[in-house]
Amino acid sequence: MSQLKQTLAKKIAEHSVRTQRLLKEFGNVVIDKVTISQAIGGMRDIKALVTDISYLDPFEGIRFRGKTIPETFEALPKAPGSKYPTVEAFWYFLLTGDIPTKEQVDEVLKEWKVRQVVPSYVWDAIRALPRDSHPMVMLSTGILTMQKDSKFAKFYSSGNFNKKVAWEYVYEDAYDLVARIPIIAAFIYNLKYRGDFQVAPDPSLDMGANFAHMIGQCKEYADVARMYFILHSDHESGNVSAHTTHLVHSALSDPYYAYSAGLNGLAGPLHGLANQEVLDWIIKFEEKYLKGAEPTKELIEKALWDTLNSGQVIPGYGHAVLRKTDPRYTAQRNFCLETPGLKDDPLFKVVSMIYEVAPDVLMKHGKAKNPWPNVDAQSGVIQWYYGVREWDFYTVLFGVGRALGCMANITWDRGLGYPIERPKSVTTDMLEQWAANPPQL
Ligand code: AMX
């Protein structure tokens, strides 16, 4: 058994004691109450999910395993010659909460290579789709296709299914999935935008560098990929992609079913597709308002109001939990400011100008609870600068990163034996009765 799996087995066993004690001794302790607006309004803020992989504070932003983004980047072992950690080191950290030693990272890097081999039927299935399918359809299909070889599904139907060790099979699938998803994403990129010019993985490279290599990018892009996949990995478990993955897996659907479903949620414009929408908005702004002229704050303000007045949202702004600028936005903005060339890039200038104008506009508009930018407002600029200009691909990049968090989460879900998810529905009649006579709780 690998060091990672041994560490995880020990931690899950220790943690289970805490979960079981909470359930048995304190199961009736009330931690939250639910209002009518929460029941109708998308369950906002209801504390009804448990995860230790990450936590999102509305004002501070995300912490992975208790660490902020800068602390995470600082603490993890770096890729050779880079100031960014390898995704593999981050995977160890997300799963266990421990900063891996060099030896532990080396073991993950080695195992990753074995697991990253994608069955050839995945290529056949993706190639069979219409070439103008959205790349998220291709990614979700590619992941779902691998279900037939799920180790968890085989274990479940083996006749020897045992809840206590079920997590080990989820772990096996989850690990295979995170190792394979960048290879599948690169395949989709090459299929759709590079005339099916496919590049084999280079076994000497870590995940970020390998992704850069496979999509024909320069060496510097390896850091973009590492940063991007880590930043997008997890945002606690209530967001649509993570929650969908958790929900689907709670029915003991295997990780392939679960993450394919999660990706379908990520493909929504209010969630992961927003990064594509941001680029789309900027390009249309340039075509319609600039026509070759320099951008000005006045023109941006006008375009923002035109968008709002036509009933659309400003993509990349607002958040269901955050109430300040998303630190993932800041991390990417800092990357731009620290990268010669990028900080003077015309698109980065437009994005920075939108940042100066949009929060005030949204505040005057008076609807959005959070007028500040989220991760998606900044991520496309970096891709664009490095030549990944096919912006309908940006959500696929998000999906590669998000797999890390979703897969770590469901491995733990199974380890702790979380049951099938089944909230209770009520009727509008019932709400009206409670509105007239609030129940005594
Ligand atoms: N532009 C215009 N209106 C916005 C807005 C924005 N960026 N953000 C929120 N609003 C509106 C909502 O549509 C809602 O209007 P309504 O009352 O007419 O229905 C009102 O403000 C209140 O919404 P909220 O409570 O502030 O936000 P929410 O929790 O309902 O939704 C989110 C959160 C992210 C979907 C929303 O802010 C949004 O649509 N943003 C733009 C799309 C986007 O960037 N999505 C990516 C989010 C990050 C991610 O998941 N990747």
Side-chain angles (χ1 to χ4, degrees), residues 44 270-271 274 308 313-314 316-320 367-369 374 376:
R44 210 66 88 252
L270 297 187
H271 188 23
L308 291 170
V313 295
I314 308 294
Y317 281 76
H319 201 272
K367 272 191 171 183
K369 293 191 188 69
N374 59 59
D376 299 312

Side-chain angles (χ1 to χ4, degrees), residues 27-141:
N28 291 330
V29 173
V30 176
I31 56 168
D32 213 352
K33 59 183 191 305
V34 179
T35 63
I36 288 180
S37 66
Q38 286 173 312
I40 296 176
M43 301 193 278
R44 210 66 88 252
D45 291 336
I46 298 174
K47 298 179 187 71
L49 291 166
V50 186
T51 175
D52 297 288
I53 309 286
S54 70
Y55 179 74
L56 180 60
D57 179 86
F59 296 97
E60 188 194 52
I62 192 69
R63 276 182 184 259
F64 302 119
R65 289 291 189 175
K67 291 196 188 303
T68 62
I69 291 168
E71 286 167 1
T72 303
F73 284 151
E74 177 67 32
L76 287 169
K78 310 292 177 288
S82 166
K83 59 179 183 171
Y84 284 94
T86 57
V87 175
E88 289 86 340
F90 181 72
W91 171 239
Y92 189 104
F93 172 62
L94 263 198
L95 275 174
T96 64
D98 292 345
I99 301 297
T101 61
K102 186 182 174 312
E103 191 200 11
Q104 287 164 337
V105 178
D106 286 347
E107 195 184 65
V108 176
L109 283 162
K110 213 165 139 197
E111 197 173 341
W112 199 280
K113 300 292 163 213
V114 178
R115 292 180 181 270
Q116 75 182 8
V117 179
V118 177
S120 62
Y121 59 74
V122 173
W123 311 141
D124 298 340
I126 296 175
R127 278 212 170 89
L129 291 167
R131 205 52 61 86
D132 61 353
S133 300
H134 194 280
M136 283 299 279
V137 172
M138 294 181 162
L139 187 65
S140 179
T141 303

